[in-house]
Amino acid sequence: MTSDNLVVLNALDTARTQWYHVTAVIIAGMGFFTDAYDLFCITTVSKLLGRLYYYDPTTHAPGKLPHLANNCVIGVALVGTLSGQLAFGWLGDKLGRKKVYGLTLVLMVICALSSGLSFGYSPKVVIGTLCFFRFWLGFGIGGDYPLSATIMSEYANKATRGAFIAAVFAMQGVGIIFAGLVSMIISKVFLLKFEGTPFNVDEILSTEPEADYVWRIVLMLGALPALLTYYWRMKMPETGRYTAIIEGNAKQAAINMGKVLDIEIQAEGDKLAQFKAANDYPLLSYEFFQRHGLHLLGTMSTWFLLDIAFYSQNLTQKDIFPVMGLTSKANTISALREMFETSRAMFVIALLGTFPGYWFTVFFIEKIGRFRIQLMGFFMMSVFMAIIGVKYDYLKTKEHKWTFATLYGLTFFFANFGPNSTTFVLPAELFPTRMRSTCHALSAASGKAGAMISAFGIQQYTQDGNVQKIKKSMILLAVTNMVGFCCTFLVTETKGRSLEEISGEDGRQNETQMKTSKPVSGHQDDGWE
């Protein structure tokens, strides 16, 4: 049985690119915009929380979150994200993509709003409340990863599938920019009205009381894009592939896709029943591991290693900015001024380094391919991080701050024109429909396990501004990226082929089964050419 015989799948693979494809990118992408804003805006407010709630007059130093509190505030959302990815990924395969897609947004709206509230005034209560709601915020964010990727891959045609999935993920870059921009604008507005004195002039008046509103507003605004997207997400029909292959309802698949795409699909009940039976094996089975085991190991390991580096870059940048000379020393400015400068630096790095990388992937993924972009990204990240680590003493001097900023920005660029985008795309393409959402969730959860290592481990090296520790962390991340480069050889190139051909659902052998066979001439099957 081949996909050529299944008109429903062939119609989806060969459908011309239509307005609804763009609409689907926007609907799914707004979820990722919200995800990134919610995950990374905490970087701009964490220092402010320290100044507000942990000032100790005996130290004559600006208030600072204790290491444990800082790691929890930043890392707890990642723990929630990992949990949400596994839960919603499994539910997406069991109940359908659409049924649980809106629930992730509802959770994100409620918890983003609640993150700006606290059940009391003491530091323990404020931080405890924040951590509780950011865990559940992360849980909702986690659901967006497998569901958005799976829905986009199942809607798209095979010629533009990679670009569309990458475009959904590229909205993360826009979210990171807005996290910096919104924090910068709100802190500036409050600065114009309430700016305090520099810390070294007056320790008490350097922390503006009104700053307590600022971090709450920044966190609560994360609910807005999710709220605006909910209606359109609920109007999306179930994907044709899920309805046809998993539910076995070819007629309903034709109706669903006919509502949104200008294509005609014939119902093929008997053929789809055979197709469904041929792929009816569970995740924990010899059949699955024979067909897809190496690919799952590849997507999980590369995403795990990438997120150690990617989240270390994003979550520790607030500690590295002062060393680069992009922000003033904490004891020479007020609390709101420190937040404004941190947000401004984050915005500039995101705009010039992070954001272009995502869109380079969108434009070149169908030309260069996923495999080569991932290899190139891991390699270049490793090179630039190794240079920063080895030459850190030289780069941190004032006269070389722009060289430092350029190298640091290039690590962001090649993370996103590289594995940060492709590790999201590949799990949405490599696995069969029956387990696509679950396998993407397992891969994404591995990534968040890596992110937790960065939040609870790598951050310990950067928080105190210790030069030797920062050097060690950069060299460690360079090595991590080279391991990711090697693990990339476990996955394969997927561009230009149908999902069923890639996964072997159409009855053909996939690459895992053909490791000892010579590839068919003309196919980009092994990713080595």
Side-chain angles (χ1 to χ4, degrees):
M1 176 74 61
T2 69
S3 59
D4 293 331
N5 297 332
L6 292 165
V7 178
V8 63
L9 304 180
N10 196 49
L12 290 168
D13 282 332
T14 57
R16 61 183 174 79
T17 300
Q18 299 170 37
W19 177 245
Y20 190 76
H21 287 120
V22 179
T23 306
V25 168
I26 295 169
I27 295 168
M30 282 305 290
F32 266 88
F33 172 94
T34 309
D35 298 348
Y37 179 92
D38 288 334
L39 283 177
F40 295 113
C41 68
I42 198 68
T43 306
T44 68
V45 305
S46 57
K47 285 200 169 190
L48 183 61
L49 289 168
R51 303 263 291 224
L52 283 166
Y53 295 104
Y54 287 91
Y55 167 64
D56 181 355
T58 62
T59 63
H60 298 293
K64 190 175 181 181
L65 286 173
H67 282 200
L68 180 61
N70 182 75
N71 292 347
C72 287
V73 163
I74 289 175
V76 72
L78 301 175
V79 179
T81 303
L82 187 154
S83 309
Q85 284 164 339
L86 294 174
F88 282 109
W90 179 77
L91 286 171
D93 282 335
K94 290 296 175 187
L95 303 179
R97 290 48 163 140
K98 177 183 165 62
K99 284 182 182 174
V100 290
Y101 202 29
L103 187 57
T104 62
L105 283 187
V106 172
L107 205 51
M108 282 153 59
V109 169
I110 293 170
C111 294
L113 291 172
S114 301
S115 294
L117 307 173
S118 54
F119 304 137
Y121 299 98
S122 72
K124 282 187 177 179
V125 170
V126 171
I127 299 302
T129 305
L130 180 59
C131 286
F132 175 80
F133 285 115
R134 280 191 67 79
F135 171 84
W136 289 108
L137 175 67
F139 195 83
I141 289 170
D144 237 32
Y145 276 74
L147 293 172
S148 290
T150 300
I151 284 171
M152 202 63 246
S153 72
E154 292 180 354
Y155 268 127
N157 60 49
K158 64 183 179 182
T160 57
R161 186 180 60 239
F164 281 149
I165 302 171
V168 168
F169 195 62
M171 290 300 288
Q172 187 181 73
V174 184
I176 294 172
I177 285 176
F178 269 79
L181 181 62
V182 170
S183 300
M184 186 171 68
I185 291 170
I186 292 172
S187 56
K188 185 64 175 178
V189 168
F190 274 75
L191 268 174
L192 292 172
K193 183 81 173 169
F194 306 110
E195 183 166 12
T197 58
F199 185 85
N200 54 10
V201 175
D202 190 311
E203 294 185 7
I204 302 296
L205 295 179
S206 72
T207 303
E208 302 90 342
E210 294 81 8
D212 197 47
Y213 294 109
V214 174
W215 70 269
R216 297 174 189 275
I217 293 168
V218 169
L219 296 184
M220 293 172 85
L221 281 174
L224 191 58
L227 197 61
L228 294 174
T229 314
Y230 181 77
Y231 170 75
W232 298 105
R233 193 170 278 199
M234 287 298 88
K235 286 191 72 176
M236 290 180 86
E238 183 59 84
T239 71
R241 279 185 161 87
Y242 186 89
T243 308
I245 296 173
I246 307 306
E247 295 180 349
N249 191 338
K251 184 177 180 182
Q252 188 60 46
I255 294 169
N256 285 352
M257 292 299 95
K259 287 178 184 175
V260 294
L261 295 175
D262 184 22
I263 54 176
E264 287 189 18
I265 301 175
Q266 299 171 16
E268 305 174 283
D270 294 340
K271 290 179 183 176
L272 278 170
Q274 295 173 39
F275 191 93
K276 185 180 176 185
N279 293 285
D280 195 12
Y281 53 88
L283 179 70
L284 298 175
S285 65
Y286 174 76
E287 181 78 6
F288 174 85
F289 283 101
Q290 184 194 28
R291 291 191 185 199
H292 312 290
L294 278 180
H295 288 162
L296 185 59
L297 179 61
T299 57
M300 289 178 71
S301 61
T302 51
W303 206 334
F304 171 76
L305 293 160
L306 174 275
D307 271 11
I308 293 176
F310 182 71
Y311 279 86
S312 293
Q313 286 171 289
N314 279 285
L315 299 179
T316 63
Q317 59 185 320
K318 68 185 188 304
D319 304 313
I320 293 174
F321 287 153
V323 181
M324 294 164 68
L326 295 180
T327 58
S328 306
K329 290 183 177 175
N331 63 355
T332 64
I333 49 177
S334 71
L336 278 175
R337 175 65 58 182
E338 183 180 36
M339 179 180 172
F340 171 75
E341 290 189 4
T342 302
S343 304
R344 182 180 60 190
M346 177 177 165
F347 170 73
V348 170
I349 291 286
L351 186 65
L352 300 179
T354 307
F355 179 73
Y358 284 103
W359 292 97
F360 264 67
T361 301
V362 174
F363 292 125
F364 289 108
I365 194 166
E366 298 298 355
K367 295 180 177 69
I368 301 174
R370 293 75 157 143
F371 183 83
R372 287 176 180 168
I373 288 176
Q374 186 159 307
L375 282 178
M376 175 192 67
F378 267 130
F379 182 78
M380 298 305 288
M381 285 171 72
S382 188
V383 168
F384 290 122
M385 286 184 171
I387 293 171
I388 292 171
V390 172
K391 291 289 188 180
Y392 192 79
D393 294 301
Y394 170 81
L395 292 167
K396 74 182 183 70
T397 56
K398 192 171 184 179
E399 57 268 29
H400 298 117
K401 70 176 183 180
W402 293 113
T403 305
F404 193 165
T406 301
L407 288 169
Y408 196 58
L410 284 169
T411 65
F412 282 93
F413 176 80
F414 281 105
N416 297 306
F417 184 33
N420 191 41
S421 297
T422 54
T423 53
F424 179 79
V425 173
L426 283 165
E429 299 181 314
L430 284 168
F431 303 106
T433 309
R434 179 175 298 282
M435 287 164 281
R436 185 169 293 127
S437 180
T438 301
C439 289
H440 195 284
L442 288 168
S443 304
S446 297
K448 285 301 164 284
M452 286 160 59
I453 289 176
S454 89
F456 295 106
I458 303 294
Q459 267 203 121
Q460 304 280 18
Y461 286 85
T462 64
Q463 258 184 284
D464 298 323
N466 184 298
V467 171
Q468 291 306 314
K469 285 186 176 180
I470 293 175
K471 285 181 74 168
K472 284 180 183 176
S473 69
M474 282 295 174
I475 292 168
L476 180 64
L477 293 176
V479 173
T480 302
N481 288 321
M482 281 312 297
V483 178
F485 176 90
C486 296
C487 289
T488 297
F489 288 94
L490 292 169
V491 298
T492 187
E493 186 54 77
T494 56
K495 75 181 176 98
R497 293 185 289 158
S498 74
L499 294 175
E500 290 69 40
E501 181 186 348
I502 295 163
S503 65
E505 281 178 283
D506 60 3
R508 309 178 202 189
Q509 286 186 316
N510 70 358
E511 283 75 2
T512 305
Q513 296 166 294
M514 296 193 299
K515 284 295 178 186
T516 56
S517 306
K518 187 177 179 181
V520 178
S521 177
H523 261 272
Q524 293 180 320
D525 279 348
D526 57 9
W528 288 77
E529 59 272 37

